[in-house]
DNA sequence: GCATGTGAAGTGGTTCACAGCA
DNA sequence: TGCTGTGAACCACTTCACATGC
């Protein structure tokens, strides 16, 4: 298996969901599956799936019969580089921050939640699944001292930019932003923004046009 | 202003964020702005912004000076069809469900949260911002009786498919899915899945490759 | 002169159609 | 024969380059 550099971004984005499907099938005692089955469960077409495997350099497909799930899982993991562990923090201990902290999805795939941050005194000192809540003032130092790579921002819009600045100052290089603010960051920092309101708006759009 | 059918989907997806930027500028007392300013705050290039306005059929830009914010807001609203109000429900009253319910973004743009649903007896009967939590059993009937268009699924993965089925049975035609499950739905139903774990994985990917 | 507006070129990703192999 | 694997065609969106108009 050869790890081609220059796999399309969109392909990489689908790998986690493929991995989840494979895990689920393995858990049901299956050892192999066709691209049709795998793709169906992941919500893509079989061609798309095969193309992705091809681009990623996976070779555990067997013509005429399908893919060996165990081998495929290994290949996808390698492709995703999931060996190294990555530390992250969550800023904002409101409902969303708590939801994220307790989400099982956040504790998989080599990711470690190292700390949470909030401005409210009532939040500071609390603990979720063994992870403590610190005061926002500590953010920069914490990020630096613990070699945190990713900052998840779950604060109100007004506080988002400041949180981002502190995290970046401490050395964070990736930001997952749940506030609707468009963050201003250096080019070297990767930002993904998930605007929950905008997502719902998109569906509303669809709902209206469907009449 | 002519509402061209066949505006690119990606353009439509950016409209809500443009609208937010315009609102914020208006709130600061500004009456006009250039594409450069508007685009910068929305996190896109100025060309992108102008192209979008062009595609949407907006005509409130004035060569040499910029856009009239009041007029532009009206045009974008029309383009988004935001006159009609759309009802939605949230299924799952865990941290995520609560976070969504109290999110300001969810109560804007002609969207009405009509009800929330959960299986836990302890949740049923509670109230958030005047919206009640009902038992999951009521879902189908509620959706039908209240003409709900959109179901937001914030349940664990195991419960997601059932929730979707009930909502669709009741007449919902759009689903915003926060569970990692790939839902099986009829073709007529639009599903948007936001897998929070997958988003973080994507950043982890970036973090690893940056070494 | 400065900022909008837009056909044309470019880019990235998906789908097609079919070759290759158990 | 059945399913994988992949170059080529296709499509959607973005960026460029420049015409347009206040």
């Amino acid at each position: 298996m050869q790890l081609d550099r220059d796999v399309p971004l969109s392909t990489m984005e689908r790998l986690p969901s493929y991995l989840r499907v494979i895990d689920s099938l393995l858990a049901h005692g299956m050892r192999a599956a066709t691209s049709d089955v795998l793709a169906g469960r992941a919500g893509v077409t079989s061609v798309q799936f095969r193309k992705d495997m091809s681009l990623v350099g996976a070779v555990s497909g067997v013509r005429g019969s399908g893919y060996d799930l165990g081998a495929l899982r290994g290949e996808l993991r390698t492709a995703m580089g999931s060996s190294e562990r990555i530390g992250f923090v969550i800023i904002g201990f409101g409902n969303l921050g708590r939801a994220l902290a307790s989400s099982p999805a956040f504790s998989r795939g080599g990711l470690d939640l190292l700390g949470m941050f909030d401005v409210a005194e009532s939040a500071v000192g609390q603990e979720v699944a063994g992870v403590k809540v610190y005061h926002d003032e500590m953010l920069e130092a914490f990020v630096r001292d613990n070699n945190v790579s990713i900052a998840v921002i779950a604060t109100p819009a007004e506080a988002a930019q400041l949180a981002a600045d502190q995290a970046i100052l401490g050395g964070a290089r990736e930001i997952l932003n749940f506030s609707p603010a468009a963050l201003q960051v250096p080019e070297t920092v990767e930002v993904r923004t998930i605007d929950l309101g905008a997502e719902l708006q998109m569906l509303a759009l669809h709902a209206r046009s469907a009449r």
Side-chain angles (χ1 to χ4, degrees), chain A residues 53-160:
Chain A
M53 292 308 99
S54 163
L55 289 168
V56 146
V59 297
S60 50
V62 181
R63 294 170 202 249
S65 65
Y67 294 82
D68 180 288
L69 293 177
L72 189 56
R73 176 168 62 170
E75 291 181 320
L76 291 188
R77 282 195 178 151
T78 312
M80 295 173 61
S82 71
S83 44
E84 193 187 344
R85 301 198 71 80
I86 299 290
F88 74 101
V89 295
I90 295 176
I91 305 151
F93 196 64
N95 279 316
L96 182 57
R98 274 191 291 268
L100 296 175
S102 54
S103 159
F106 265 43
S107 54
R108 295 216 311 217
L111 288 160
D112 294 319
L113 175 56
L114 301 179
M116 305 188 60
F117 295 84
D118 203 292
V119 282
E121 293 299 341
S122 58
V124 175
Q126 286 195 47
E127 204 166 301
V128 172
V131 178
K132 278 202 183 127
V133 179
Y134 303 93
H135 193 277
D136 272 13
E137 284 171 358
M138 313 289 295
L139 180 56
E140 184 192 337
F142 188 96
V143 167
R144 193 189 320 277
D145 295 347
N146 294 275
N147 201 25
V148 171
S149 300
I150 305 177
V152 177
I153 298 185
T155 65
E158 314 82 67

